[in-house]
């Protein structure tokens, strides 16, 4: 089978699909406080269009992993219907969500074929959570995490973006939370994709510091990185493990195997890409599967070596994280 290979020999196997740009949260590191102008419904790819692109990605190019994201994917109506149409493709299907709607959706998503989930939580303190997300819904999110575990999603992981002076005093609390709940907490280095452009290097808490601060209380040992961007560390006393995604201080670009489809049908060959390939126009102008495959092929072929965060040549992408999908 043909593979989606770029000019540096990296083979792409992981497709992230943003199903909507809308979100019920406005996390400070992802979206401006006043919100964003949402896409019109007609601009969003339909479930049929998404499934067609995913089928080509899996069937023609051997994509093995599909993650649904957003915006907030659970605000798109009938998400379980999309999961049901993607799961027969046989790729490893997962979801990244803020968790607010999992109490009502988790079982239906599992019935439709979802197996794994990541829930984003950046503070375990209700007031801080409300300040960060602009929604006072920590209880709903924690109940959603429970619902995901009860529904049989496995693994359930928690994503936490660490920002200096904002939530880095909760590193150990999150580690304890993960140990007690039996979930893997993955700490993500803060990346310059906030809509307001407030990011600066000093606000990043490095992987090294995250591991040192948690390890000083609950000793850790490295497990390795494997094919995942997360570096894994296990508690020496057997209490489970944590992950760190060091996208800024130790970028994964050399092994990156991800491509991203935005809610309006643009294919991006890098989280930080400034150019996109418009698959929606190919779809809606009567393009064949071969036309779509060719557009995907050339998008990946054009991929650069990696982002250049922290260097003068770094260019901020025009989209914020909520419009790309993480
Ligand atoms: N709404 C869903 C959620 O919050 O999980 C899915 C979309 S969100 C854009 C995907 C992931 O990107 C989340 O885990 C979020 O924490 C992360 N993220 C958003 N902005 C980020 C930033 N500036 N740096 C690092 N991670 C970020
Ligand atoms: Fe919404 Fe997720 Fe961005 Fe928060 S991180 S604003 S929940 S898309």
């Amino acid at each position: 089978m043909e593979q989606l290979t770029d000019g540096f020999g990296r083979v792409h196997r992981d497709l992230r699909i943003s199903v909507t740009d809308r979100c019920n949260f406005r996390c400070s590191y992802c979206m401006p406080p006043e919100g964003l102008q949402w896409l019109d419904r007609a601009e969003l790819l339909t479930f049929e269009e998404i499934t067609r692109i995913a089928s080509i990605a899996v069937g023609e190019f051997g994509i093995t992993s599909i993650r649904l994201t957003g915006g907030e994917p659970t605000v798109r109506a009938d998400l379980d219907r999309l999961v049901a149409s993607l799961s027969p493709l046989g790729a490893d299907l997962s979801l990244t969500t803020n968790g607010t709607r999992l109490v009502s959706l988790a079982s239906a998503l599992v019935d439709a074929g979802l197996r794994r989930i990541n829930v984003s939580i950046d503070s375990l303190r209700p007031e801080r959570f409300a300040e960060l997300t602009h929604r006072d819904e920590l209880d709903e999110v924690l109940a959603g995490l429970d619902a995901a575990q009860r529904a049989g999603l496995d693994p359930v992981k928690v994503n936490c973006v660490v920002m200096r002076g904002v939530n880095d005093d909760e590193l150990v609390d999150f580690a304890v939370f993960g140990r007690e709940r039996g979930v893997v907490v993955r700490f993500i280095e803060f990346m310059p994709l906030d809509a307001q452009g407030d990011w600066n290097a000093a606000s990043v808490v490095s992987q090294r510091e995250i591991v040192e601060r948690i390890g000083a209380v609950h000793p850790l040992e490295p497990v390795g990185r494997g094919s995942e961007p997360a570096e894994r560390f296990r508690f020496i006393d057997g209490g489970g493990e944590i992950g760190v995604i060091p996208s800024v201080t130790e970028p994964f670009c050399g092994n990156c195997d991800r491509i991203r489809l935005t809610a309006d049908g643009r294919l991006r060959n890098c989280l930080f890409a400034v150019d996109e390939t418009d698959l929606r126009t190919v779809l809606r102008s009567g393009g064949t599967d071969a036309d779509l495959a060719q557009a995907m092929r050339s998008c990946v072929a054009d991929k650069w070596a990696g982002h250049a965060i922290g260097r003068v040549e770094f260019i901020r992408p025009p989209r914020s994280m909520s419009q790309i999908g993480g």
Side-chain angles (χ1 to χ4, degrees), residues 23-27 29-31 70-72 98 120 321-322:
C23 188
N24 51 345
F25 279 10
R26 274 171 285 136
C27 302
Y29 53 77
C30 178
M31 222 190 256
E72 174 45 42
N98 64 25
S120 302
M321 189 68 131
S322 66

Side-chain angles (χ1 to χ4, degrees), residues 11 27-28 62 77 87 90 93 96 103 114 127-128 143 165 288 324:
V11 176
C27 302
S28 57
S87 68
L93 191 57
T96 301
V103 168
L114 190 72
E127 274 178 29
R128 181 180 285 173
T288 62
I324 300 171

Side-chain angles (χ1 to χ4, degrees), residues 37-59:
Q37 179 74 41
W38 306 134
L39 293 166
D40 286 340
R41 185 164 293 269
E43 295 186 69
L44 298 182
L45 292 188
T46 64
F47 287 171
E48 290 67 28
E49 288 171 331
I50 291 174
T51 304
R52 187 164 165 214
I53 291 172
S55 304
I56 295 169
V58 174

Side-chain angles (χ1 to χ4, degrees), residues 20-298:
T20 179
D21 62 324
R22 290 178 190 237
C23 188
N24 51 345
F25 279 10
R26 274 171 285 136
C27 302
S28 57
Y29 53 77
C30 178
M31 222 190 256
E34 66 280 10
L36 291 163
Q37 179 74 41
W38 306 134
L39 293 166
D40 286 340
R41 185 164 293 269
E43 295 186 69
L44 298 182
L45 292 188
T46 64
F47 287 171
E48 290 67 28
E49 288 171 331
I50 291 174
T51 304
R52 187 164 165 214
I53 291 172
S55 304
I56 295 169
V58 174
E60 295 288 323
F61 296 123
I63 289 282
T64 54
S65 165
I66 296 179
R67 177 170 291 275
L68 301 179
T69 175
E72 174 45 42
T74 62
V75 304
R76 178 115 186 219
D78 303 323
L79 183 66
D80 55 323
R81 196 164 63 75
L82 177 63
V83 170
S85 83
L86 293 176
S87 68
L89 298 178
D92 177 26
L93 191 57
S94 57
L95 176 73
T96 301
T97 171
N98 64 25
T100 43
R101 301 202 171 176
L102 286 178
V103 168
S104 55
L105 290 180
S107 297
L109 292 171
V110 169
D111 291 347
L114 190 72
R115 294 288 162 261
R116 305 194 293 112
I117 200 161
N118 286 32
V119 181
S120 302
I121 310 176
D122 305 303
S123 176
L124 297 168
R125 303 181 190 174
E127 274 178 29
R128 181 180 285 173
F129 183 92
E131 210 175 299
L132 271 171
T133 62
H134 291 84
R135 291 286 283 259
D136 186 9
E137 294 190 352
L138 179 59
D139 285 347
E140 283 81 347
V141 172
L142 295 178
L145 196 67
D146 284 340
Q149 288 184 293
R150 268 199 316 276
L153 288 163
D154 186 22
V156 174
K157 293 183 181 170
V158 167
N159 286 356
C160 172
V161 178
V162 185
M163 294 158 283
R164 190 175 304 284
V166 176
N167 63 352
D168 61 322
D169 54 348
E170 292 188 61
L171 286 171
V172 174
D173 294 350
F174 268 104
V176 170
F177 176 84
R179 286 163 65 90
E180 288 175 350
R181 292 249 181 172
V183 296
V184 174
V185 179
R186 302 186 336 153
F187 298 95
I188 306 175
E189 288 181 353
F190 181 27
M191 292 184 279
L193 284 164
D194 55 315
Q196 302 176 87
D198 283 346
W199 183 93
N200 61 64
S203 57
V204 178
V205 182
S206 69
Q207 162 169 289
R208 176 191 288 248
E209 183 177 338
I210 292 170
V211 172
E212 271 173 16
R213 285 170 64 178
I214 295 173
V217 184
H218 296 286
L220 289 161
E221 63 184 2
V223 181
R225 202 168 194 170
S227 61
E228 284 280 304
E231 296 266 12
R232 296 164 55 202
F233 300 85
R234 79 177 139 237
F235 294 108
I236 287 174
D237 67 4
E241 65 178 66
I242 62 163
V244 185
I245 304 185
S247 320
V248 179
T249 64
E250 288 171 49
F252 192 61
C253 304
N255 290 310
C256 176
D257 70 345
R258 291 189 178 164
I259 49 173
R260 294 173 165 82
L261 182 65
T262 65
D264 54 351
R266 271 53 174 182
L267 195 66
R268 299 174 60 84
N269 60 22
C270 175
L271 188 53
F272 295 92
V274 283
D275 296 321
E276 303 177 332
T277 298
D278 179 4
L279 296 186
R280 190 184 68 188
T281 296
V282 181
L283 280 164
R284 295 188 182 173
S285 60
T288 62
D289 284 1
D291 296 331
L292 285 165
Q294 180 51 34
M296 294 163 79
R297 197 179 282 120
S298 53

